[in-house]
């Protein structure tokens, strides 16, 4: 359904992004941010799904600054490799990967108002984008690892945010989710009977009921803020 194109950041860095387009006129633009497994078949299918719902979708390769062409599965070895790559990106000199996400937002704007959705590490980057980048109208982080820490929770979003968490997620303790909710009463927070990664149908932690409900809520939120 989609195709890969090259985008350019403000600093001149070029990187690939998967583009999925709707069949008719877009109802808005949407940036989809990867987990620690690259823009793999799952992320492409997520992008295709949102395109089928009418959005012009851009999924940037946020590992490209440290390693091109990452497309991993979900084994323990994949997880360890992905975590190392995520750590390498996080250790880049500021602003790190954020200009690449900005370039993706700018590209998605040809579809209209732009939202951003991200999963796992992409959820954390979605939260940071909502707080620091321009051109967004809504943000939806899914189980953003690290976004409930005091340092990240101290950020202030500039756009409406809806956040999805699982109550069995040992990476994101529930007490930190509660603290995040108190710190950000304006953020819509949903907690599911689910584990980390519950949206990914290629992972053992997939939870069909939670994924379906979260997606329905996300689509309603995007419709409200993007069209």
């Amino acid at each position: 359904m989609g195709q890969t194109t090259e985008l350019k950041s403000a600093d001149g860095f070029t990187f690939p992004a998967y583009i999925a387009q709707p069949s008719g006129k877009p109802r808005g633009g949407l940036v989809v941010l990867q987990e620690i497994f690259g823009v793999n078949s799952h992320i492409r299918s997520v992008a295709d799904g949102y395109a089928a719902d009418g959005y012009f979708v851009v999924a940037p390769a946020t590992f490209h600054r440290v390693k091109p062409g990452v497309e991993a599965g979900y084994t323990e070895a994949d997880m360890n490799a992905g975590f190392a790559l995520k750590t390498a990106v996080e250790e880049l000199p500021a602003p790190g990967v954020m200009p690449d996400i900005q370039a993706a937002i700018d590209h998605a704007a040809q579809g209209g108002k732009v939202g951003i959705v991200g999963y796992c590490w992409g959820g954390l980057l979605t939260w940071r984008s909502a707080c620091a980048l321009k051109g967004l109208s809504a943000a939806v982080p899914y189980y953003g690892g690290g976004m409930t820490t005091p340092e990240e929770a101290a950020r202030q979003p500039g756009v409406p945010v809806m956040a999805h968490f699982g109550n069995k997620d040992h990476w994101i303790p529930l007490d930190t989710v509660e603290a995040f909710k108190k710190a950000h009463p304006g953020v819509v927070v949903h907690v599911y009977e689910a584990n980390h990664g519950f949206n990914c149908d290629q992972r053992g932690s997939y939870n069909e009921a939670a994924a379906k409900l979260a997606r329905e809520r996300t689509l309603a939120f995007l419709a409200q803020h993007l069209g």
Side-chain angles (χ1 to χ4, degrees):
M1 190 171 177
Q3 62 193 64
T4 300
T5 191
E6 292 284 315
L7 299 182
K8 186 180 277 193
S9 288
D11 63 357
F13 180 75
T14 59
F15 62 96
Y18 180 75
I19 311 290
Q21 301 195 43
S23 54
K25 182 178 184 291
R27 58 190 299 170
L30 190 66
V31 174
V32 170
L33 296 182
Q34 62 169 71
E35 303 167 299
I36 59 169
F37 309 102
V39 182
N40 61 7
S41 61
H42 170 63
I43 292 299
R44 293 196 300 272
S45 94
V46 167
D48 291 345
Y50 281 117
D53 286 305
Y55 294 98
F56 179 90
V57 187
V58 181
T62 47
F63 276 159
H64 202 69
R65 283 182 184 261
V66 296
K67 187 177 183 183
V70 177
E71 190 174 327
Y74 297 94
T75 66
E76 192 172 345
D78 289 326
M79 190 125 2
N80 292 337
F83 191 78
L85 288 168
K86 173 221 166 190
T87 302
V89 175
E90 293 281 319
E91 288 173 349
L92 288 170
V97 77
M98 299 309 284
D100 304 348
I101 300 171
Q102 184 66 65
I105 292 167
D106 296 344
H107 192 72
Q110 62 191 279
K113 289 183 178 178
V114 181
I116 187 166
V117 180
Y119 304 85
C120 173
W121 176 52
L124 171 62
L125 294 176
T126 294
W127 170 245
R128 289 178 182 164
S129 299
C131 299
L133 300 184
K134 64 184 193 296
L136 287 171
S137 295
V140 185
Y142 274 73
Y143 32 85
M147 69 176 272
T148 60
T149 62
E151 179 192 12
E152 294 294 339
R155 300 177 188 269
Q156 292 299 323
V159 297
V161 176
M162 172 183 282
H164 303 294
F165 297 101
N167 64 3
K168 297 169 184 165
D169 188 338
H170 65 281
W171 299 105
I172 308 172
L174 215 47
D175 61 335
T176 69
V177 175
E178 290 303 320
F180 180 88
K181 274 170 73 173
K182 280 192 184 138
H184 293 284
V187 173
V188 181
V189 175
H190 294 296
V191 179
Y192 303 82
E193 287 282 336
N195 210 324
H196 190 81
F198 69 77
N199 182 71
C200 178
D201 58 6
Q202 296 183 23
R203 298 176 75 167
S205 54
Y206 177 58
N207 183 309
E208 186 180 5
K212 184 169 179 286
L213 180 56
R215 193 170 189 282
E216 285 169 1
R217 286 168 165 168
T218 298
L219 284 170
F221 190 72
L222 294 175
Q224 180 187 350
H225 297 291
L226 307 185

